[in-house]
Amino acid sequence: MSIAINLTVNGVRLSREVDPRLLLSQLLRDELGLTGTHVGCDTSQCGACTVHLDGASVKSCAVLAVQADGAEVLTIEGVAGPDGTLHPMQAAFREHHGLQCGFCTPGMVMGAIELARTAPDLEEATIREGLEGNLCRCTGYQNIVKAVRAGALAMREG
Amino acid sequence: MYGFDYHRPAALSDVVDLLTGDEDAKLLAGGQTLIPTLKQRLAMPTALVDLSAVPGLRDIVAEGDGVRIGAMATHATVAGSALVRGVLPGLADLASHIGDAQVRNRGTIGGSIANADPAADYPAALVALDAVIRTDRRDIPGGDFFTGLFETALAPGEVVTSVFFPAATHARYAKFPNPASRYAMAGVFVARRGDDVRVAVTGAGPSVFRWDAAEAALSVRFSADALDGIVPDADGLNSDMHADADYRAQIVAVLARRAIA
């Protein structure tokens, strides 16, 4: 069985015929070449594959491509400006060195952008709890929390 | 994943027909349990019937002195609902601590209760608050809905459409999340409506259950110290690498007090 889907990815409208079992993460990486969305665990725990689906952060390895029919998807490739200017959250991760190996970073940034929009405050405990769905095995999270706070402040000021 | 067909009907009657016509078809709500299960090849449905196109199933509306929550309302929606926060802040608080942010954006109340995971949070709220589960064909009292490990009173092909929660003078949930998985090693929901006090425990047994001794003590005096010296019987509670039954019983006793204070 193959299903026709229409979706918008990073502002580009697409039509595809997909097997129902194709994951959104597979569609993005294998068919669209958007390999910034990382697959870390493939068991929906690590959050490296986080993208925005109609504005909400989701783990793209736990969403079927057919479920994204009619939706708008935003990946890490789509958050910077058209001229390459980094998104404030990306800039904050660079400024505060919120990474070591960088594998979790795309998911962290996508999760953090939503956190910045929805968190009632930017206390350290709020940020740490808000990032529960994103695992980093390098940093111990110290600089990630600093980066998210700075990025969120920049987003709120911007 | 094994291969399967996929349907997304726009009418509830078509959903029911598809499920009734194929006993190996499965209902897809938010997919936060089902899709990982399929990926591990622990299930082999012939087809997924996606509920997401059926209108009205995400609505949260006031009804009497309570609130009716559509089966497809996500945990994030329930957590952020001004209506739920107003009527039952303890229920919104429970929803705000399910899984993580990404899971809460997809996972639904209907999917969670139909799956009946022994460590899920919502079952404790449904049982303690005496909620009523509405399906495509009937209403089921919360106390009759959860029948065992991953088992419910739902008939094959029966679809949860909403859950009604009556208002309560006290409704609070406390849980001890597993440090790694964040699933409840135990969770206790304490609800008081008039003279009726209910204490429902999830995560500790094969299915949610009411803790009678705590209910009796709290009916006499609704105060955390009314539970002094009372610990649930560890016999029949879950034992695993994370916590043995005796430890879980102690956690339940502590959580019940936290859910009152």
Side-chain angles (χ1 to χ4, degrees):
Chain A
M1 190 180 200
S2 147
I3 306 272
I5 59 170
N6 299 290
L7 69 166
T8 303
V9 179
N10 299 334
V12 179
R13 296 184 66 138
L14 301 162
S15 296
R16 282 287 189 285
E17 294 269 332
V18 299
D19 186 313
R21 62 183 148 166
L22 187 76
L23 298 168
L24 179 57
S25 55
Q26 294 170 319
L27 174 73
L28 295 171
R29 289 178 54 83
D30 303 343
E31 303 209 4
L32 304 179
L34 296 170
T35 53
T37 296
H38 290 170
V39 176
C41 66
D42 214 16
T43 55
S44 67
Q45 296 177 61
C46 79
C49 67
T50 299
V51 302
H52 291 185
L53 186 64
D54 285 335
S57 68
V58 302
K59 294 178 181 177
S60 62
C61 84
V63 177
L64 299 171
V66 288
Q67 291 178 288
D69 184 25
E72 289 197 20
V73 179
L74 181 69
T75 74
I76 191 68
E77 289 91 344
V79 299
D83 62 352
T85 306
L86 293 182
H87 185 282
M89 191 61 74
Q90 291 176 301
F93 268 70
R94 183 169 72 175
E95 172 68 21
H96 294 275
H97 196 64
L99 61 143
Q100 284 180 28
C101 85
F103 192 90
C104 71
T105 312
M108 283 286 177
V109 169
M110 298 310 289
I113 291 172
E114 182 183 65
L115 178 64
R117 288 182 186 140
T118 57
D121 61 65
L122 297 175
E123 299 298 318
E124 180 177 338
T126 307
I127 293 171
R128 286 182 182 273
E129 189 177 334
L131 290 177
E132 261 186 7
N134 293 85
L135 301 183
C136 169
R137 300 291 80 166
C138 303
T139 65
Y141 300 94
Q142 290 298 112
N143 286 356
I144 290 176
V145 173
K146 278 185 205 164
V148 171
R149 187 160 194 279
L153 286 170
M155 282 172 65
R156 291 179 181 195
E157 284 163 10
Chain B
M1 268 184 274
Y2 297 109
F4 50 81
D5 290 344
Y6 172 83
H7 309 284
R8 190 169 57 225
L12 185 62
S13 57
D14 292 336
V15 171
V16 174
D17 286 347
L18 283 161
L19 291 171
T20 308
D22 179 358
E23 65 178 16
D24 292 323
K26 269 201 170 293
L27 199 56
L28 174 63
Q32 297 304 285
T33 298
L34 180 56
I35 293 171
T37 304
L38 294 174
K39 287 164 68 175
Q40 294 178 76
R41 292 192 163 182
L42 294 173
M44 194 168 61
T46 47
L48 295 189
V49 184
D50 187 341
L51 258 187
S52 67
V54 176
L57 295 184
R58 293 171 202 281
D59 297 348
I60 299 177
V61 294
E63 187 176 307
D65 66 346
V67 58
R68 180 172 296 280
I69 301 177
M72 288 291 282
T74 65
H75 310 321
T77 306
V78 174
S81 161
L83 183 57
V84 179
R85 288 225 165 262
V87 177
L88 289 167
L91 182 65
D93 185 59
L94 176 151
S96 76
H97 290 100
I98 297 173
D100 52 49
Q102 293 96 322
V103 168
R104 289 192 293 273
N105 281 336
R106 295 293 293 173
T108 66
I109 184 169
S112 172
I113 66 171
N115 185 51
D117 189 301
D121 299 303
Y122 268 129
L126 269 67
V127 170
L129 285 165
D130 201 18
V132 180
I133 295 94
R134 180 158 292 172
T135 75
D136 61 292
R137 60 198 74 168
R138 58 176 169 153
D139 282 350
I140 305 173
D144 297 340
F145 186 80
F146 301 99
T147 55
L149 184 72
F150 294 108
E151 286 189 6
T152 67
L154 292 169
E158 188 169 10
V159 178
V160 175
T161 56
S162 66
V163 182
F164 172 74
F165 291 91
T169 47
H170 179 97
R172 191 172 296 168
Y173 180 64
K175 75 169 162 179
F176 188 102
N178 180 297
S181 75
R182 313 307 288 170
Y183 268 98
M185 301 223 298
V188 179
F189 202 109
V190 176
R192 183 188 196 191
R193 293 190 302 133
D195 295 334
D196 186 35
V197 177
R198 297 194 184 194
V199 179
V201 179
T202 189
S207 180
V208 61
F209 64 90
R210 285 172 66 181
W211 181 18
D212 301 336
E215 291 183 359
L218 292 171
S219 297
V220 176
R221 193 162 52 90
F222 194 77
S223 164
D225 57 19
L227 297 179
D228 281 353
I230 305 180
V231 176
D233 187 355
D235 194 31
L237 296 189
N238 299 338
S239 270
D240 55 34
M241 65 184 286
H242 306 294
D244 64 21
D246 287 332
Y247 183 54
R248 272 198 166 80
Q250 290 293 336
I251 295 176
V252 169
V254 171
L255 292 175
R257 301 168 71 110
R258 287 185 190 167
I260 295 161

